[in-house]
Amino acid sequence: MANERDLLSTEIVNRGIESSGPNAGSLTFSVRVRRRLPDFLQSVNLKYVKLGYHYLINHAIYLATIPVLVLVFSAEVGSLSREELWRKLWEDARYDLATVLAFFGVFVFTLSVYFMSRPRSIYLIDFACYRPIDDFKVSKEQFIELAKKSGKFDEGSLEFQKRILNSSGIGDETYIPKSVIMSNDNTATMKEGRAEASTVMFGALDELFEKTRLRPKDVGVLVVNCSIFNPTPSLSAMIINHYKMRGNILSYNLGGMGCSAGIIAVDLARDMLQANPNNYAVVVSTEMVGYNWYPGSDRSMLIPNCFFRMGCSAVLLSNRRRDYHRAKYRLEHIVRTHKGADDRSFRCVYQEEDEQRFKGLKVSKDLVEIGGDALKTNITTLGPLVLPFSEQLLFFATLVWRHLSGGTGNGGEVGGNSQPSLSASKKPYIPDYKLAFEHFCVHAASKTVLDELQRNLELSDRNMEASRMTLHRFGNTSSSSIWYELAYLEAKERVRRGDRVWQLAFGSGFKCNSLVWRSMRRVRKPSRNNPWLDSIDRYPLPHH
């Protein structure tokens, strides 16, 4: 385990001019201590790297035999001149026609079996992100004022939320149901939840069907994920009823799976498409802000109030080969990591009731550290699937060398508390993930988390731009945030043919999941149905 002090960072906060007391009229400061992500450069676990290389080992027979066969064939053919080669082929075909036909038949049969046994490619035709109307737009100052007028929070809770908002990285144009903080009544009701769900889900789906010109009855698979709000009938049933979808549709509703559930929903849709050829799948990812609103005074439960905002994404997937030419992206990899076996990880984001019986999400102070551990496992598993071979070789060689040289501490992690040798005390070679991806869509959780991820993965400001700008413009929209980030890249016309896109999300459980897409064509700036069209020219903002 990493040293406890290494996981802490300090920050001097200007608290303004003291209004009363012995220090009245003078500036006051405080020191804020925060937990940070574990340093990935010093804590890479060898067993998680093996998971990624297991994929390569399964395909090693092809990597080993194909070059040998090509070498032998080249040596045999290379010893003959062109005239001798054609004469030999003609004579063989003339006097041993049965052998030639048999060989040709076996070749065609093998080729057919190979292509038929391959899993079908999964294409992303298009996606849509819902942008609420301006009536739901709330600035940070309005947020605090409305919360104060609601009478639900004491002065201490209001001041705490104000401090969190000012350091959150969230801007003044995010969206929230105003009834949540303007009403003195309980807004966490089924009626309010269904109303918000209808607004965001149908808004995103209307845009998706308009963009793709797809009829709702053509959808064969529907997957909806929403962590907190799970009514009966389900959200997927609400969609089927609203759009009058066909009776044999395969519908699924995922609940309680946190901010990374959008990737889990895509994984489920992929499996369903593999089992049902020539089909369309729609994935809807959202979260209900109003139903999850916490009106109490527990500080750890007030944090979600400050970050979560209205949002929803709808994604159209296809496994039809004729959709190759109109698809935007092709699915390359999905890597999922679950740390739920550990008690601390399981309880770091936990829905429960406080002492006043108010329901809310309790966020542990260890969230950043636990999230970092799940992220480390995920990226070391993903690395061998996406990184260039040269990067993999250097990384794996230095990691094994440190392992054999005694550079492992407790738990088998590099950089532990044991006394390593001189050669093992050097930092291990960490692959450059910028060589594997052109675009990064990291879940816009908070400014602190994005800062730590950028530092650990050594990403540039441009790599993190989509995540930071999404957090500023739309806030934390939970599982749909990675799609708002991809919409930002498209609005900036940065996605070109062949580019690789990494979508990374993490959430309660604790889970960390990755999606890798490859662009099928250059994506032009959309003329409509993009949530960034009214504000893209103002971004990126300086100092974000």
Side-chain angles (χ1 to χ4, degrees):
M1 298 293 291
N3 192 299
E4 181 71 18
R5 289 177 299 178
D6 295 336
L7 299 177
L8 302 177
S9 63
T10 58
E11 176 185 358
I12 298 178
V13 181
N14 185 349
R15 303 185 66 86
I17 299 176
E18 188 72 24
S19 58
S20 60
N23 298 322
S26 61
L27 286 173
T28 57
F29 299 87
S30 63
V31 178
R32 179 182 298 165
V33 180
R34 291 176 172 173
R35 285 185 171 268
R36 64 196 304 177
L37 291 178
D39 191 346
F40 297 161
L41 296 177
Q42 296 289 359
S43 59
V44 179
N45 198 310
L46 186 61
K47 68 178 181 179
Y48 297 124
V49 181
K50 292 177 182 177
L51 292 175
Y53 280 98
H54 180 69
Y55 177 88
L56 297 181
I57 293 172
N58 288 341
H59 296 77
I61 185 171
Y62 303 112
L63 300 176
T65 57
I66 291 177
V68 173
L69 292 175
V70 171
L71 190 63
V72 171
F73 180 77
S74 300
E76 180 69 23
V77 173
S79 62
L80 302 173
S81 64
R82 182 179 298 180
E83 292 77 10
E84 292 174 337
L85 178 62
W86 282 111
R87 187 169 62 251
K88 186 175 179 61
L89 290 174
W90 173 251
E91 290 176 353
D92 288 346
R94 183 179 178 183
Y95 296 107
D96 199 2
L97 185 59
T99 302
V100 173
L101 292 176
F103 174 79
F104 183 74
V106 170
F107 176 76
V108 171
F109 175 78
T110 304
L111 206 62
S112 301
V113 170
Y114 171 74
F115 281 107
M116 291 177 65
S117 61
R118 285 182 62 193
R120 285 175 173 263
S121 295
I122 304 299
Y123 302 111
L124 192 161
I125 306 301
D126 214 330
F127 66 96
C129 298
Y130 175 66
R131 191 188 73 185
I133 59 176
D134 289 344
D135 291 346
F136 296 125
K137 191 178 292 185
V138 177
S139 67
K140 294 193 289 284
E141 185 177 348
Q142 289 174 327
F143 181 96
I144 297 300
E145 286 299 318
L146 292 172
K148 187 175 183 179
K149 291 179 180 178
S150 70
K152 298 177 182 178
F153 306 102
D154 56 30
E155 287 298 326
S157 298
L158 290 171
E159 182 62 28
F160 175 76
Q161 292 180 85
K162 185 176 181 179
R163 292 202 309 269
I164 292 293
L165 281 172
N166 289 335
S167 62
S168 64
I170 293 176
D172 291 324
E173 294 185 293
T174 59
Y175 303 93
I176 193 169
K178 288 189 178 181
S179 60
V180 168
I181 47 182
M182 291 179 66
S183 172
N184 292 324
D185 299 327
N186 176 26
T187 58
T189 62
M190 299 298 290
K191 181 180 179 180
E192 291 287 344
R194 283 194 172 96
E196 184 180 348
S198 300
T199 301
V200 298
M201 291 194 310
F202 300 158
L205 285 167
D206 286 345
E207 291 184 12
L208 180 68
F209 292 140
E210 181 182 348
K211 291 171 72 173
T212 59
R213 298 180 181 177
L214 181 74
R215 298 182 308 163
K217 285 186 178 295
D218 293 333
V219 178
V221 179
L222 174 65
V223 183
V224 181
N225 69 271
C226 180
S227 187
I228 297 297
F229 183 60
N230 292 285
T232 300
S234 65
L235 296 177
S236 60
M238 286 176 60
I239 293 174
I240 293 170
N241 175 261
H242 180 78
Y243 291 100
K244 309 305 177 187
M245 292 178 165
R246 66 196 201 197
N248 63 343
I249 188 172
L250 303 174
S251 66
Y252 300 89
N253 200 91
L254 305 179
M257 304 196 77
C259 297
S260 65
I263 295 179
I264 299 174
V266 172
D267 190 19
L268 176 58
R270 177 191 64 173
D271 291 343
M272 291 300 100
L273 287 176
Q274 295 292 4
N276 297 273
N278 297 315
N279 236 316
Y280 287 113
V282 169
V283 176
V284 179
S285 300
T286 188
E287 192 57 75
M288 298 304 112
V289 177
Y291 193 76
N292 191 42
W293 195 257
Y294 174 68
S297 58
D298 189 311
R299 299 290 174 89
S300 62
M301 289 182 165
L302 285 170
I303 294 176
N305 285 5
C306 301
F307 285 100
F308 286 106
R309 296 293 184 266
M310 292 178 70
C312 181
S313 64
V315 181
L316 177 61
L317 304 175
S318 171
N319 61 2
R320 307 193 316 169
R321 292 190 174 96
R322 58 180 172 271
D323 287 327
Y324 172 88
H325 296 288
R326 75 177 187 126
K328 278 188 174 181
Y329 306 93
R330 183 179 68 241
L331 181 60
E332 298 274 301
H333 302 288
I334 300 179
V335 174
R336 293 170 53 184
T337 301
H338 204 305
K339 292 288 186 177
D342 176 70
D343 291 340
R344 278 206 319 157
S345 298
F346 176 70
R347 296 190 65 91
C348 71
V349 180
Y350 202 79
Q351 186 181 23
E352 60 182 5
E353 296 171 335
D354 65 6
E355 295 179 353
Q356 298 175 283
R357 310 298 293 175
F358 289 131
K359 181 180 62 178
L361 279 180
K362 191 177 187 68
V363 179
S364 168
K365 63 181 180 179
D366 300 326
L367 174 63
V368 176
E369 178 188 350
I370 290 169
D373 184 55
L375 174 64
K376 179 185 65 179
T377 303
N378 189 268
I379 64 175
T380 50
T381 305
L382 177 68
L385 306 180
V386 297
L387 288 165
F389 183 73
S390 59
E391 290 291 300
Q392 297 183 44
L393 188 62
L394 284 171
F395 173 53
F396 194 65
T398 55
L399 191 62
V400 171
W401 173 252
R402 286 174 60 88
H403 188 73
L404 297 177
S405 300
T408 56
N410 296 334
E413 289 189 348
V414 177
N417 296 327
S418 63
Q419 297 296 325
S421 63
L422 181 62
S423 60
S425 64
K426 298 179 181 179
K427 286 185 176 182
Y429 179 79
I430 295 299
D432 185 359
Y433 282 89
K434 296 187 290 294
L435 297 176
F437 307 107
E438 283 74 31
H439 308 289
F440 297 79
C441 298
V442 181
H443 170 49
S446 70
K447 182 179 182 297
T448 302
V449 171
L450 294 180
D451 288 344
E452 290 296 321
L453 283 171
Q454 181 175 3
R455 181 184 66 84
N456 269 281
L457 295 179
E458 298 181 353
L459 301 178
S460 67
D461 290 339
R462 187 176 176 87
N463 295 145
M464 299 296 294
E465 182 180 315
S467 299
R468 293 188 187 280
M469 298 308 106
T470 297
L471 179 64
H472 182 273
R473 177 65 180 85
F474 293 99
N476 183 345
T477 59
S478 190
S479 57
S480 63
S481 69
I482 55 177
W483 296 105
Y484 285 86
E485 293 161 18
L486 187 54
Y488 176 88
L489 295 172
E490 291 189 354
K492 285 289 187 181
E493 294 190 276
R494 294 183 183 173
V495 182
R496 301 179 183 275
R497 180 182 175 88
D499 284 359
R500 294 153 298 182
V501 181
W502 182 17
Q503 291 182 313
L504 176 67
F506 32 87
S508 61
F510 195 88
K511 298 179 285 294
C512 180
N513 301 319
S514 289
L515 266 177
V516 179
W517 304 94
R518 184 175 292 274
S519 175
M520 305 290 290
R521 54 184 168 89
R522 182 177 180 181
V523 180
R524 302 285 182 178
K525 183 177 181 179
S527 59
R528 55 185 304 185
N529 292 333
N530 185 293
W532 292 93
L533 287 183
D534 68 330
S535 58
I536 192 63
D537 294 334
R538 305 200 308 264
Y539 291 95
L541 298 175
H543 311 300
H544 273 77

